[in-house]
């Protein structure tokens, strides 16, 4: 046994290996070949990128969800990597999430598309490194209950939740003298823009995040602060917190990744450079520590750390997240699905930036809220919300610069 407490290399599946989190995870894993073995890599349809990753990391399985991409991939790997087992579809994802030789599953698919495979990992009792916050937002109760029943451990990768996890020794609020959680938010690229300019924001401006390099969807969510809204919901499930125990604070430098305030008014914060390899390395090594490849904070070079409250009228999506938390049931799944449709439409230049929040409000008003106690109920709510959101898009003003 070494200092990490590891006896033999841990098997890892990466769901969403070709994305921003997936690539950062592979960088961390590559620093520790003695501790981890990549068992499976998955992608939606990026054949070239997945192929390069397979050549470099030599997994036993590769999954391309898209069937045509899987066929193309299979024909290209046959001679180069004859041992590689290629699977496709949602079933392929569920298979590699539950393999017996896998200890840890990094859930890093973006959006509702990650729901079933992340749940498959939970049901197989794996240690699940959760980046895919949307699955917890959609089906939080189901996830937490299944994790308890199946003996799965869910470790937060989202930087804020990973920070709180590090500041909260028992991992949950009840009984631990916690007054509130403080989720920090950079405020995104439009924090100081005149409100009148927001309808004219382009997708390129929205995805240019001031501090973090991330996938397109989460970058737009950061600009609307829907991301922080999803994170408030995620925090309630992960840490057994009530919505009124989770506050959001704007901190433009993204050096403090979140904080826990205790009853005695002590505040414990986690700090670090804004680089996802830190929470990824933390979750992979927990309860031990290992190098992430990230340089340390230079406190003397840091400029002052600023904090400010969230302007509600600038970020209406955040209020919608608190609203669906109060509503409960399928309301968060409806909000999440509508948001995915609206963000894609904005990225495709079909709607304006400011239409996103309006569409979410319309969809929430249009749909009844039901209990979210089965995967079917959650999936139905997701499908209904996508349908109503698509109808709402038609009423939006077309994006002015196409
Ligand atoms: P990304 O867009 O860079 O990558 C998404 C990955 O999911 C890719 O591998 C892609 O092939 C796969 N994928 C997309 N659609 C799919 C589908 N229909 N079926 C199967 N696979 C599919 O996204 P990202 O920025 O890496 O984010 C991934 C998740 O991590 C998101 O839930 C995001 O909220 C969360 N997260 C990301 C960051 C970050 O810094 N990027 C930080 C915190 C949390
Ligand atoms: Mg985050």
């Amino acid at each position: 046994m070494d200092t990490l407490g590891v006896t033999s290399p841990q098997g890892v599946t990466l769901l969403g290996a070709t994305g921003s989190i997936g690539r950062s995870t592979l960088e961390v894993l590559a620093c520790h070949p003695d501790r981890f073995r990549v068992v499976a890599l998955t992608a939606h349809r990026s054949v070239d990128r997945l192929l390069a990753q397979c050549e470099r990391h030599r997994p036993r399985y590769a999954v391309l969800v898209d069937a045509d991409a899987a066929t193309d991939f299979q024909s290209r790997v046959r001679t180069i990597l004859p041992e590689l087992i290629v699977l496709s579809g949602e079933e392929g994802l569920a298979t590699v999430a539950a393999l017996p030789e896998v200890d840890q599953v990094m859930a890093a698919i973006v959006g509702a598309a990650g729901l079933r495979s992340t749940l498959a990992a939970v049901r197989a009792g794996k240690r699940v490194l959760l980046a895919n916050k949307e699955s917890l937002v959609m089906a939080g109760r189901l996830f937490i209950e299944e994790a308890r029943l199946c003996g799965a451990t869910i470790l937060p990768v989202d930087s804020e939740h990973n920070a709180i996890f590090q500041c909260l020794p028992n991992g949950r609020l009840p009984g631990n003298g916690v007054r509130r959680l403080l989720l920090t938010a950079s405020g995104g690229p439009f924090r100081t823009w005149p409100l009148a300019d927001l309808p004219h924001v382009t997708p390129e401006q929205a995805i240019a995040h001031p501090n973090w390099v991330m996938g397109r969807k989460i970058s737009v969510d950061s600009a609307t602060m829907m991301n922080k809204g999803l994170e408030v919901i995620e925090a309630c499930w992960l840490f057994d917190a009530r919505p009124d125990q989770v506050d959001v604070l704007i901190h433009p430098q993204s050096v403090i990744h979140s904080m826990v305030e205790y009853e005695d008014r002590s505040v414990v914060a986690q700090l670090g450079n804004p680089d996802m390899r830190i929470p990824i390395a933390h979750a992979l090594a927990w309860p031990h520590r290992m190098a992430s490849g990230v340089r340390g904070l230079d406190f003397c070079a840091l400029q002052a750390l600023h904090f400010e409250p969230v302007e509600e009228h600038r970020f209406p999506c955040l209020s919608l997240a608190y609203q669906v938390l109060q509503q409960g049931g399928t309301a968060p799944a409806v909000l999440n699905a509508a948001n995915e449709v609206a963000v894609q439409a904005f990225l495709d230049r079909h709607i304006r930036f400011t239409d996103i929040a309006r569409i979410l409000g319309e969809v929430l008003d249009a749909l009844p809220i039901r209990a979210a106690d089965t995967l079917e109920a959650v999936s139905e709510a997701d499908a209904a919300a996508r349908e109503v959101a698509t109808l709402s898009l038609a009423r939006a003003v077309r994006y002015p610069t196409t």
Side-chain angles (χ1 to χ4, degrees), residues 16 18-21 44 65 108-109 113 131-134 158 214-215 276:
T18 52
S20 166
I21 293 287
H44 185 207
V65 175
I109 290 174
N132 176 231
K133 67 192 87 183
E134 295 92 343
D158 213 347
M214 308 182 286
M276 288 307 292

Side-chain angles (χ1 to χ4, degrees), residues 129-153:
L129 280 50
L130 189 76
N132 176 231
K133 67 192 87 183
E134 295 92 343
S135 57
L136 203 59
V137 167
M138 295 173 75
R141 186 174 306 284
L142 207 59
F143 263 80
I144 299 303
E145 279 173 11
E146 294 278 338
R148 190 173 42 80
L149 284 173
C150 304
T153 305

Side-chain angles (χ1 to χ4, degrees), residues 304-322:
L305 299 180
H306 292 283
F307 303 94
E308 55 192 67
V310 180
E311 281 177 67
E312 273 184 39
H313 56 288
R314 182 181 291 275
F315 298 112
C317 291
L318 182 59
S319 310
L320 291 175
Y322 278 101

Side-chain angles (χ1 to χ4, degrees), residues 15-24 42-46 49 53 64-66 90 93 107-114 117 130-135 157-160 212-219 221 227 230-231 234 275-276:
L15 302 171
T18 52
S20 166
I21 293 287
R23 297 196 307 272
S24 293
T42 86
H44 185 207
R45 56 165 83 97
S46 4
R49 193 170 263 177
Q53 291 182 339
L64 281 141
V65 175
D66 182 86
E90 279 269 346
L93 295 179
I109 290 174
V110 60
S117 50
L130 189 76
N132 176 231
K133 67 192 87 183
E134 295 92 343
S135 57
V157 169
D158 213 347
S159 58
E160 296 75 4
W212 298 93
V213 182
M214 308 182 286
R216 282 154 46 97
K217 191 257 178 186
I218 186 176
S219 298
D221 284 349
N227 182 50
L230 299 177
E231 291 181 356
E234 183 185 11
D275 188 316
M276 288 307 292

